[in-house]
Amino acid sequence: MKKKGVVLLFILLIVLPLAGQNNKMFWKGDDNEKTAVGIIDNMTNTELLGQILMFSPRNDSVDGEFIHMLERNGIGSVKLYGRNISDLEKTARDIGRLQSAALNTRFGIPLFIATDQEGGWVRHIKHEMSTTPGSMAIGASSFPYDAAMAGYLIASELAVLGVNMNFAPVVDLYIAHDAYVIGPRSFSDDPQAAGILGTSFMHGQQKVGVISTAKHFPGHGRAETDSHLVLPTIRIDYSTLKRMDLYPYIMMINEGLPAIMSGHLYYPQLVDSIKPASLSKRILTDILRKDLGFEGLIITDDMTMVGANTGEDSLPVSCRKAVEAGNDIILVGMTYQSYRNIIKYLLAHMKTNTEFRERVRQSVKRVLMTKLRYLRAENAVNLQPDPAAVHENLEKVKSNAGSFFLEQACRGVTAFEKNKGEYNPELLRKSSVLVISQFDEFITAGRERLPSADGLLIAYTPYHSARKRTIERVMDTIDGYDTIIFHLSNPNSAQVLSACSEYSDKIIVISSLNPVHIREAGFDFTAFAVFGTGRESFAAAWGALLGDFVPSGTLPFKLKENEKK
Amino acid sequence: MKWKRAKERHAGMLLEFLKCHEEKSIAPISFLLSNKNYHGRYLAQGGALVQMENHEIINAVMMKPGFICMPVLPRKDEFKASIEDLNSIFLPLLQSVFSAAGPSSWIDMFCKSVSLQPQTCVDYDYMVLEPAVQHGPQEASAYTIKKACVKDVEELMPLQRDYELEEVLVKPELYDESGSRALLKRQVREEIIFIALDKGTIVAKSGTNAKSYTYYQIGGVYTKHENRRNGLQQILMKKLCQIAADNGRSLALFVKPENHAAIRLYKSLGFNKTGKYSIYYMNF
């Protein structure tokens, strides 16, 4: 009897909140506009403000303090960084707890749970999540199908965990080749290609209810520096910007793009004082809203990045300016103390400044409209993902993907200009081969195909330069071999490769991540780019090396032979 | 885990790390953010030491010109300098270190690990007001309150000297008038310093000496002896509270535990003691 009572209580505990959920305002009525307005008219300042804030938990788990803060302030969105993830089952459980807390608030408004899962180089959630070939590999094959499928599969994996918003696709045009921070995250330097591929990626994500966020508006691909570290300056006039960098956005807006991330990038020709685009009313309101007609969400890049903190302003003041500029969601990943300060400060401002309060209300309307449209949809991402089924469900996604990522990686393999059509795979089978790589997996993949090959693993770090002893070790080893497969993946290995330039006729380079690094070693090598660092990309590289197929990708940006760093 | 000198490219990583421990590293953050055009050069010259794990900084020691070192050791249990680290990285740098400042447990751990022998230790209570609250309208006062500007520096110098001699310096012969003037000039330009004037003469000062994302650190609080017990600092501090509220910042300060009058004032304004702070002095 006692046991039965416990079971009954348990069932009630689970069912009651769920039953309650449907009675709350967010879940009632078919007319999204009416529901949103109804909620907003009843909201307190705290509830309004909460919907435009996106915070991230402190550690690798969601603690009670974070949930408490979320409930008390009606915070509307949560960002998960790599540091917040220790294992995927736990992540699914944490997301369920966060959503329960949100559903228990007055209107039952669920959360946006966001992360950066661009595919390829940048993926904040690792573990069993796929390492895909990445945007530049898609740009190299330039099939919209590849972009759509990549978006679909990446989003399907996110949906298993309960993540319903992805800060992808990156539609920055890779124009300044020193923009290492963008590099292989970009589809192309061509506005039309980036627009078509970005749109396809978005539709793929949309299929499984994941909200796409195109970034970094107006465009990070011309920045020679990284907005994490400084405020990059981009000297370009509006008509060029509109014809080039904004083109992918214009295309995607026409196709129903739900969100755009504003970047911490400074455009002296467009704004009248030194401030990032993310804090510029001219760029966000006059250009993005009025000129481009975007009615979706504008989300800031993380407000703690150096690019957003260049002046005297405190973080709360910068957040206020971000709202005034036209952002709808303010992203901050810092301490709980900082979140409290931001809330307190912005609330005080709402109280005394009716114009500001009106600005917040406008944003809340956009937030609610997007939540109603996506989180109540038939294909909405589950608010209560089943932690126990995470591994099984991820396996399901991967088995549905079949050999897609391998095929995509193969379609993306690109021969550099020099050796187009000249490469003879038979060479490899007849000679003694040494494989040099910063990735153990690359050597292993090679030896599966070519068991007689020897491997030499070199360090990936330091990122920007190679240690002297690494170069010496490589130089000592390569003499004894007929052919060297050199895997180039960062400036460190580029430096090693350039030390080997006298052996260029027996070296074949496979480039992962940013192909631009080859310019540091010169263009005398036979070389192929695969862009990715996942299993499929490495398999594709070896397939190309051994003549399984003839590489047909095209480098999606103009790398000039004489280009020097 | 090995220690290394942070390079220019670590600046972002370093701020990423420090911002997660903001309350305890206001001065190091202030230094990096306010010098952001120069932090590359600062780091290139080995201004910070870092301990890394999986491409993330887990502990750091910031060196400030003037040879003050500020350890930030949230993972102090893993702060162990190997003999090799000591010889190659710490010793050459620490030979010239004049003082180490920070939360007591970090400083203690740091000095033990790198075998720094402090000659004097000064303890402080760490107090914060979070978040800063708005106080009512200013009550009428016989004093004039205003923000200090560069032309006030000369008149402020005697107060600054007495402040340093009474509150900061462990030995009077360490007072350096020109250094002190330069510092005050910089602070008047970059920080917020309020002064109280009695019939046109400056009698009290109070201001910030560092700022981070959501904090002001308060320092240089001093009232001339003959003007004490008049509630002057309360008026100045309320001004600072107001400025903090206007900026969405919290306030943090250090106070010697035996300074009962000051602690009473801070408590009355809503400050809470959140920890202990220490400055260890070496090599003088």
Side-chain angles (χ1 to χ4, degrees):
Chain A
M1 189 58 216
K2 202 173 168 192
K3 213 173 178 183
K4 257 188 194 162
V6 172
V7 171
L8 190 67
L9 185 70
F10 190 67
I11 291 173
L12 280 176
L13 279 175
I14 293 181
V15 171
L16 276 180
L18 294 180
Q21 171 192 317
N22 290 330
N23 294 327
K24 293 193 172 178
M25 232 161 151
F26 182 86
W27 302 94
K28 283 199 285 200
D30 295 329
D31 184 341
N32 286 352
E33 172 96 25
K34 233 173 157 178
T35 305
V37 172
I39 292 174
I40 292 170
D41 285 344
N42 279 292
M43 274 178 146
T44 63
N45 280 353
T46 306
E47 285 164 333
L48 285 168
L49 178 66
Q51 286 301 319
I52 68 158
L53 298 173
M54 179 181 280
F55 292 153
S56 101
R58 183 163 34 199
N59 295 316
D60 63 357
S61 64
V62 171
D63 49 291
E65 195 182 341
F66 187 72
I67 292 199
H68 183 66
M69 186 201 60
L70 196 110
E71 278 178 324
R72 207 177 46 182
N73 300 294
I75 302 304
S77 305
V78 173
K79 167 78 199 284
L80 297 177
Y81 283 93
R83 61 173 177 266
N84 301 126
I85 315 270
S86 62
D87 83 84
L88 300 185
E89 270 183 46
K90 209 168 103 204
T91 302
R93 197 174 310 122
D94 281 345
I95 290 175
R97 283 171 62 208
L98 290 166
Q99 291 290 17
S100 300
L103 294 177
N104 276 331
T105 55
R106 204 150 66 100
F107 303 105
I109 306 169
L111 301 162
F112 287 138
I113 305 280
T115 197
D116 293 77
Q117 203 78 350
E118 300 169 6
W121 199 19
V122 174
R123 45 178 201 132
H124 280 184
I125 309 183
K126 297 187 170 65
H127 305 278
E128 299 96 308
M129 307 291 267
S130 296
T131 309
T132 71
S135 302
M136 197 168 271
I138 296 173
S141 74
S142 75
F143 288 119
Y145 167 79
D146 281 340
M149 272 301 276
Y152 171 75
L153 291 168
I154 289 168
S156 300
E157 290 187 355
L158 291 177
V160 166
L161 305 178
V163 175
N164 53 30
M165 178 180 261
N166 192 8
F167 292 156
V170 174
V171 291
D172 297 323
L173 307 179
Y174 189 40
I175 290 171
H177 295 167
D178 287 336
Y180 284 176
V181 69
I182 298 302
R185 300 162 68 189
S186 159
F187 287 117
S188 176
D189 66 356
D190 177 77
Q192 277 85 358
I196 291 169
L197 298 173
T199 306
S200 307
F201 191 97
M202 169 184 85
H203 285 313
Q205 296 206 106
Q206 202 134 315
K207 263 265 164 317
V208 281
V210 170
I211 298 159
S212 294
T213 310
K215 66 186 183 188
H216 308 78
F217 189 86
H220 205 311
R222 285 178 195 273
E224 280 160 13
T225 46
D226 178 356
S227 58
H228 286 87
L229 315 180
V230 292
L231 176 60
T233 302
I234 298 172
R235 288 176 203 284
I236 184 174
D237 61 79
Y238 184 48
S239 70
T240 315
L241 187 77
K242 195 167 174 186
R243 191 164 42 82
M244 299 286 292
D245 304 56
L246 300 189
Y247 189 84
Y249 292 100
I250 294 170
M251 249 176 121
M252 294 176 82
I253 291 167
N254 278 332
E255 294 278 328
L257 175 67
I260 287 175
M261 173 175 280
S262 58
H264 305 314
L265 306 155
Y266 170 44
Y267 290 77
Q269 278 152 278
L270 301 181
V271 296
D272 48 13
S273 63
I274 300 179
K275 65 176 143 204
S278 50
L279 302 184
S280 160
K281 194 169 176 181
R282 159 116 170 86
I283 290 178
L284 299 185
T285 303
D286 297 350
I287 293 178
L288 181 51
R289 288 268 185 245
K290 292 188 188 144
D291 198 10
L292 305 193
F294 181 58
E295 263 310 310
L297 297 170
I298 307 179
I299 304 172
T300 68
D301 208 344
D302 193 324
M303 291 299 296
T304 65
M305 284 160 62
V306 175
N309 289 281
T310 44
E312 287 290 291
D313 289 339
S314 67
L315 182 59
V317 171
S318 300
C319 291
R320 188 197 88 218
K321 291 185 176 174
V323 176
E324 287 167 349
N327 289 283
D328 300 306
I329 292 183
I330 311 297
L331 164 60
V332 185
M334 215 179 125
T335 60
Y336 297 169
Q337 163 69 42
S338 72
Y339 302 157
R340 285 196 293 270
N341 282 28
I342 290 166
I343 293 168
K344 184 126 186 157
Y345 173 77
L346 294 180
L347 270 181
H349 217 70
M350 282 175 80
K351 227 183 199 169
T352 53
N353 187 329
T354 48
E355 199 183 326
F356 183 74
R357 186 170 183 277
E358 198 37 50
R359 183 66 272 292
V360 173
R361 272 173 62 106
Q362 278 172 10
S363 287
V364 175
K365 173 130 184 245
R366 287 198 196 94
V367 169
L368 289 183
M369 290 298 282
T370 312
K371 283 186 174 179
L372 287 162
R373 183 172 147 213
Y374 278 84
L375 305 183
R376 296 205 307 188
E378 237 165 76
N379 69 344
V381 171
N382 199 343
L383 298 176
Q384 299 293 332
D386 179 1
V390 160
H391 299 291
E392 194 190 315
N393 289 339
L394 280 177
E395 275 316 306
K396 232 184 263 169
V397 174
K398 284 183 188 170
S399 66
N400 284 343
S403 54
F404 167 73
F405 284 127
L406 179 60
E407 291 161 18
Q408 188 202 314
C410 292
R411 280 192 287 276
V413 179
T414 302
F416 281 74
E417 274 312 318
K418 186 193 174 235
N419 55 299
K420 265 205 174 136
E422 284 172 19
Y423 174 69
N424 176 10
E426 284 312 310
L427 203 82
L428 227 56
R429 298 184 207 274
K430 287 182 191 148
S431 59
S432 61
V433 175
L434 174 68
V435 185
I436 301 174
S437 175
Q438 296 169 305
F439 290 76
D440 211 2
E441 299 85 342
F442 183 81
I443 297 173
T444 312
R447 294 181 52 163
E448 273 167 21
R449 296 293 312 268
L450 204 63
S452 64
D454 287 334
L456 178 63
L457 184 67
I458 58 174
Y460 186 81
T461 53
Y463 182 82
H464 288 274
S465 59
R467 289 186 206 288
K468 215 171 132 201
R469 62 171 185 271
T470 304
I471 295 176
E472 284 166 3
R473 197 156 55 99
V474 169
M475 299 298 280
D476 286 348
T477 322
I478 57 177
D479 252 341
Y481 293 87
D482 304 330
T483 305
I484 314 294
I485 306 295
F486 191 97
H487 183 207
L488 170 71
S489 49
N490 68 2
N492 177 318
S493 42
Q495 213 175 74
V496 179
L497 181 61
S498 59
C500 306
S501 55
E502 60 180 293
Y503 298 95
S504 64
D505 46 358
K506 69 172 188 179
I507 294 178
I508 302 164
V509 177
I510 294 290
S511 146
S512 275
L513 300 173
N514 197 341
V516 87
H517 297 311
I518 200 161
R519 67 188 173 169
E520 283 146 60
F523 293 86
D524 294 335
F525 302 93
T526 299
F528 302 98
V530 299
F531 311 101
T533 56
R535 217 170 30 149
E536 290 82 4
S537 297
F538 291 165
W542 284 100
L545 283 169
L546 290 164
D548 298 354
F549 60 93
V550 176
S552 60
T554 310
L555 208 58
F557 64 97
K558 287 156 217 75
L559 182 62
K560 294 172 211 80
E561 281 249 349
N562 56 358
E563 180 174 328
K564 272 275 163 215
K565 203 190 158 198
Chain B
M1 271 147 297
K2 276 184 72 78
W3 279 80
K4 61 177 172 193
R5 286 186 178 215
K7 299 269 173 59
E8 192 173 345
R9 62 173 182 276
H10 293 112
M13 232 186 239
L14 197 54
L15 275 167
E16 238 352 78
F17 159 75
L18 290 172
K19 80 178 191 194
C20 296
H21 310 283
E22 189 193 10
E23 186 186 308
K24 291 174 174 170
S25 45
I26 300 169
I29 291 173
S30 180
F31 184 63
L32 269 188
L33 277 183
S34 65
N35 283 288
K36 58 190 155 295
N37 296 324
Y38 311 105
H39 65 213
R41 204 184 324 147
Y42 160 76
L43 291 173
Q45 288 165 357
L49 305 176
V50 292
Q51 192 178 22
M52 318 254 299
E53 183 187 270
N54 301 327
H55 308 298
E56 259 180 54
I57 294 173
I58 60 163
N59 282 314
V61 178
M62 309 284 292
M63 309 294 298
K64 242 185 121 172
F67 308 110
I68 301 162
C69 84
M70 298 177 289
V72 180
L73 309 174
R75 302 253 297 261
K76 69 182 162 71
D77 296 344
E78 285 162 62
F79 174 76
K80 284 183 188 77
S82 66
I83 298 291
E84 196 194 327
D85 284 340
L86 275 179
N87 289 332
S88 64
I89 295 184
F90 284 101
L91 288 186
L93 215 61
L94 294 179
Q95 269 159 10
S96 53
V97 162
F98 169 73
S99 67
S104 304
S105 63
W106 291 355
I107 298 298
D108 199 45
M109 180 71 194
F110 174 73
C111 289
K112 267 189 206 139
S113 296
V114 301
S115 314
L116 264 184
Q117 301 281 336
Q119 294 179 17
T120 312
C121 310
V122 184
D123 288 332
Y124 295 86
D125 283 349
Y126 191 55
M127 298 186 86
V128 296
L129 178 62
E130 59 165 66
V133 285
Q134 303 229 23
H135 290 273
Q138 209 77 68
E139 50 258 60
S141 158
Y143 299 94
T144 312
I145 309 293
K146 65 166 202 141
K147 244 179 105 174
C149 55
V150 177
K151 69 174 168 37
D152 297 316
V153 166
E154 277 320 308
E155 204 193 332
L156 267 169
M157 278 308 288
L159 272 85
Q160 180 70 14
R161 188 196 61 223
D162 292 347
Y163 164 72
E164 287 189 26
L165 290 173
E166 288 171 37
E167 297 292 331
V168 182
L169 300 172
V170 280
K171 267 193 203 168
E173 52 274 36
L174 290 170
Y175 180 67
D176 160 20
E177 171 137 352
S178 64
S180 192
R181 180 177 288 109
L183 176 73
L184 193 60
K185 266 192 187 150
R186 189 185 65 74
Q187 285 188 339
V188 165
R189 270 198 311 268
E190 293 172 13
E191 305 286 343
I192 299 154
I193 295 177
F194 281 108
I195 49 179
L197 296 103
D198 181 15
K199 299 180 193 82
T201 315
I202 301 174
V203 293
K205 68 189 268 291
S206 201
T208 65
N209 59 17
K211 54 180 175 291
S212 59
Y213 301 93
T214 62
Y215 276 94
Y216 279 127
Q217 184 172 288
I218 289 174
V221 178
Y222 190 81
T223 307
K224 276 187 177 171
H225 284 268
E226 57 272 31
N227 298 80
R228 291 188 182 178
R229 297 173 176 272
N230 285 337
L232 257 177
Q233 279 303 338
Q234 184 164 3
I235 301 172
L236 291 176
M237 289 299 299
K238 278 188 177 171
K239 275 281 203 196
L240 286 170
C241 289
Q242 186 65 50
I243 295 271
D246 292 347
N247 284 279
R249 281 192 163 103
S250 294
L251 292 165
L253 54 82
F254 318 116
V255 57
K256 287 181 181 156
E258 62 273 17
N259 191 349
H260 299 294
I263 290 175
R264 243 193 331 271
L265 165 67
Y266 298 141
K267 279 193 173 155
S268 79
L269 292 164
F271 279 85
N272 284 313
K273 181 181 159 183
T274 61
K276 288 202 152 298
Y277 228 75
S278 297
I279 303 180
Y280 285 16
Y281 293 91
M282 276 77 63
N283 305 322
F284 59 84

